[in-house]
Amino acid sequence: MARVVVDVMPKPEILDPQGQAVANALPRLGFDGITAVRQGKHFELEVADDVDDATLAKIAETFLANPVIEDWTVRRVEA
Amino acid sequence: MARVVVDVMPKPEILDPQGQAVANALPRLGFDGITAVRQGKHFELEVADDVDDATLAKIAETFLANPVIEDWTVRRVEA
Amino acid sequence: MSIDTVKNAESTPDQEQPYKELGLKDDEYARIKEILGRRPTDAELAMYSVMWSEHCSYKSSKVHLKYFGETTTDEMKSKMLAGIGENAGVVDIGDGWAVTFKVESHNHPSYVEPYQGAATGVGGIVRDILAMGARPLAVMDPLRFGKPDAADTRRVLPGIVAGVGGYGNCLGLPNIGGEVVFDESYQGNPLVNALCVGTMRVEDLHLAHASGTGNKVILYGARTGLDGIGGVSVLASETFDDSAGKRKKLPSVQVGDPFTEKVLIECSLELFEKGIVVGIQDLGGAGLSCATSELASAGDGGMHVWLDRVPLRATGMTPAEILSSESQERMCAVVEPANVEAFMEVCKKWDVIATEIGEVTDGDRLVITYHDEVVVDVPPRTVAHEGPVYNRPIQRPADQDELQANTPDSLPRPENVLELIKTMAASPNLASKRWVTQQYDRYVRGNTVLAQPSDGGMIQIDEETHRGVALSTDCNGRYTKLDPYEGAKLALAEAYRNVSATGATPVAVTNCLNFGSPEDPAVMWQFEQAVKGLADGCVELGIPVTGGNVSFYNQTGSTAILPTPVVGVLGVIDDVRRRIPTGIGAEAGETLLLLGE
Amino acid sequence: MRVGVITFPGTLDDVDAQRAVRYADGEAVPLWHGDHDLKGVDAVIVPGGFSYGDYLRCGAIARFAPVMQEVIEAANKGMPVLGICNGFQILAEAHLLPGALVRNHKLHFVCRDQWLKVENNTTAWTTRYDEGAEILVPLKSGEGGYQANEDTLKELEDNNRIVFRYVGENPNGSRNNIAGITNAKGNVVGLMPHPEHAIDALTGPTDDGLGMFLSLLDSVVKA
Ligand SMILES: Nc1ncnc2c1ncn2[C@@H]1O[C@H](COP(=O)(O)OP(=O)(O)O)[C@@H](O)[C@H]1O
């Protein structure tokens, strides 16, 4: 068993209303110095050992992320 | 400027319908060997250099995550 | 970054420009040069190309749409406060109330990115209604999909439905009806039409125009980013030097922010209420290009815009990109100088960014500067209202007779009627639409009198008098394919009947004409016939078409969709407590009557 | 009876809540998210909608609004507070009520007429109902699944703090079919369904929801 993390983020040129809402709220809560926030998704997958990187890349691209508006990264982490 | 990543995940004992939906869909799409999926949030913050770790921890705990249902991690990454 | 200025354009008359990539034909480009007496700047080219596109200029449909105006009698017009040509038609419904409604398409964007395409479709039509000075009240969503079990339908349908709901629910606009129709012809080209209805006091009607020299032009709402500028990015590679990095072709996808729109609505309504807006225009397709040229063109003077003042979300945007950005949730207002401060105060209360970006001038030119350099200097009417007009070839399809000759007489009669009924009840086009409609909030704001699964939606407008309106949208593309003239009439008749069946009196019509390529003479024939049928039907029923929308190029390869003129009918009811709910069998012993032949 | 109804940016059902208060012969007092006082009201309704777009988590941003600090203080002193839908989410985020509301188990927004069973008719907002009564009101939410840890659930069950339960198929995956709960004192109630949309059969499925606002009238008059 391996653990795989996929992070999916809105592309830089795409509006990120969620991140923006967080960024706008922080100063109101008394937290200064946070100049930008972007919000995406974080997936943790338990993966059988015979699942190769190409398959993981395919899962991320075709299913976990929407390539039209999102970028993504895939990485294996220590279990 | 520093870049800070906060990952927020549903606690293990809390139902995660989104992760479950992903896990159930994968075999239907022809991807086998993924035994579990959990879905959370991934935040990327641009942070002024004078914002210390305690402040970041506070932002994560009081705001970005809901400790009743979520766990979180905070880490600084190379810009 | 070197900017293409008017001065530069004058001194480099022979510089090649990518007008073809921007969708302009040789003769259209030649006409722009003739109008300006020089080559256009990049920014001007961006403006003309979006504003002269089929979508914005109605260049193929204009000659036919005229028929609506020609057939509308004074009597039909008697309740119309604003008609075709405005952002949306407005009808006087009595008691001092005016109602405005319109339906628009967002077909292609919803195919590319179903959730965001549908969401921003709702957002766009809501801003159209807001730009009339009205409070948006409710939405409807006529939808068309390919076969229900096709892979592409599975891709687009859930996203489109979630997008319509996600945006509309968050705005607090009840969804009071719509359509879900499946047909193979929509595979690869789903139709997402969105209707919005709004209301205002008659005296509060705001028309989009910029008049009064010295009045300020204020852009308010979201920041301007790189969204939806797709095509125009071909210009960027010419103006960006390598150090700035050549920008890759940008996706023409816009992401909606319904929260910002909700705040924009409340903010705008407060501005209207305080009477501090002279003219207003929403930013939709073609963004600032459209808003500035239309405002200036409809006013009585010229306009100067300082483009560098526009608040941006991205760095290094060129003037052409700023002008063509389709960033959502923005509006443009014309305000008297004395009221600017009050305007800004209201925006501040709602946390809405507002920026004075321009001024009405006494000239007759739209002049846009960027850091003191003139990048646009054009007669605004040539951009907004005097685009090209085409009288495209029309040809009744050769197989139309054959199609019509193939009548139901040739079909076998069913042997087991019960089985037939079961089959029909289970067919996707007749089955319950609850999977879709239960994702939409139909209760919000507490004025919904009828909604799904009623024949028509009904909204109470006045809590004291109980005056209200009813709406239905309908179209059967298969009828329209068989006979576009009669099919359009049938769509009108169905919507009219559905509104009547709620107990309301039909008073006005809007439409969204979804067709294939206007360059196909057979499609143009369908279009011409459908417009005639709809207009003639309206004369027979005595209610006017107050507005609408045309969506061409709905086809996969060379195969066009079924001609789909979606017709929306608005009705008035003076007391919603007298509505007629759908359904029979509330009490035993009721008598069932069949009316008609 | 003066009842404050809060409006945050993105609140939608404030007009409905105000109307419901008027139907119960109360005076609805609009409260703005930035207000620093409660204008002397006898009770507060935190209405439904999408405060701050429901970005981050439903209610997560709204709970920090200035007016919420006043509400928290007043609630702790016993003022009746009702959170409906987004309002329930805000009260949970503000820790006036335990647990949290998460995405519906089927991942879709659900709008439907929902039967509820009244489990507790002793709160400030439910005395007009019979215990065990079933009422029909709209439910419309995308994140209405009630979640809490086992201890909290036990505490709620053992102390009769579950006010409403869904009848029939669980619409959103809520633990123990919970539709609404109360705090230990019974003055703060939160529920996902919308009683304010069921005060008149003209615009709602029933007028079953009116009882909550009439109950408030009773408890304010009594107090
Ligand atoms: N996309 C939609 N959005 C909202 N309401 C819809 C949608 N599709 C169908 N409806 C509603 O569902 C009900 C049933 O639709 P339908 O089966 O098409 O009825 P009919 O055939 O009588 O027009 C109607 O009230 C209609 O307005």
Side-chain angles (χ1 to χ4, degrees), chain C residues 25 28 52-66 387-394 516-520 523-524 527-528 531 550 552-553:
Chain C
K25 298 273 169 5
E28 292 173 341
W52 285 14
S53 69
E54 186 64 55
H55 177 69
C56 293
S57 72
Y58 289 83
K59 57 188 167 190
S60 304
S61 54
K62 240 181 196 164
V63 293
H64 302 289
L65 297 178
K66 275 209 314 248
V389 175
Y390 291 125
N391 215 329
R392 303 235 187 232
I394 287 176
S517 166
E519 292 161 45
D520 176 346
V523 168
M524 252 354 255
F527 183 80
E528 179 229 26
V531 168
V550 177
F552 277 131
Y553 297 100

Side-chain angles (χ1 to χ4, degrees), chain D residues 1-83:
Chain D
M1 173 179 73
R2 285 164 50 81
V3 183
V5 177
I6 302 180
T7 301
F8 300 95
T11 294
L12 307 177
D13 300 311
D14 44 354
V15 285
D16 311 73
Q18 289 170 9
R19 190 186 293 126
V21 169
R22 290 198 303 272
Y23 266 60
D25 282 332
E27 183 195 345
V29 180
L31 297 175
W32 183 240
H33 66 107
D35 285 351
H36 288 273
D37 78 290
L38 297 181
K39 302 190 176 164
V41 296
D42 302 304
V44 169
I45 298 176
V46 189
F50 289 75
S51 57
Y52 299 96
D54 271 359
Y55 298 140
L56 184 57
R57 280 183 317 280
C58 304
I61 301 180
R63 75 111 150 169
F64 290 103
V67 75
M68 278 310 295
Q69 310 321 308
E70 307 300 321
V71 170
I72 292 169
E73 198 175 307
N76 287 333
K77 287 185 190 150
M79 178 186 278
V81 174
L82 176 66

Side-chain angles (χ1 to χ4, degrees), chain C residues 139-145 160-161 164 175-181 193 428-434 436-438 440 450-457 471-474 494 498 582:
Chain C
V139 295
M140 299 175 93
D141 61 327
L143 307 176
R144 301 289 184 285
F145 300 102
I160 286 171
V161 170
V164 169
N175 185 310
I176 58 168
E179 299 165 72
V180 179
V181 177
N193 293 178
N429 282 333
L430 296 180
S432 164
K433 308 296 179 336
R434 206 179 54 167
V436 171
T437 59
Q438 79 170 5
Y440 303 153
L450 294 173
Q452 309 85 357
S454 171
D455 288 326
L471 281 147
S472 176
T473 71
D474 289 286
E494 188 180 354
N498 279 333
T582 310

Side-chain angles (χ1 to χ4, degrees), chain C residues 379-397:
Chain C
R381 285 198 68 79
T382 64
V383 181
H385 291 112
E386 287 160 8
V389 175
Y390 291 125
N391 215 329
R392 303 235 187 232
I394 287 176
Q395 178 72 56
R396 186 172 187 267

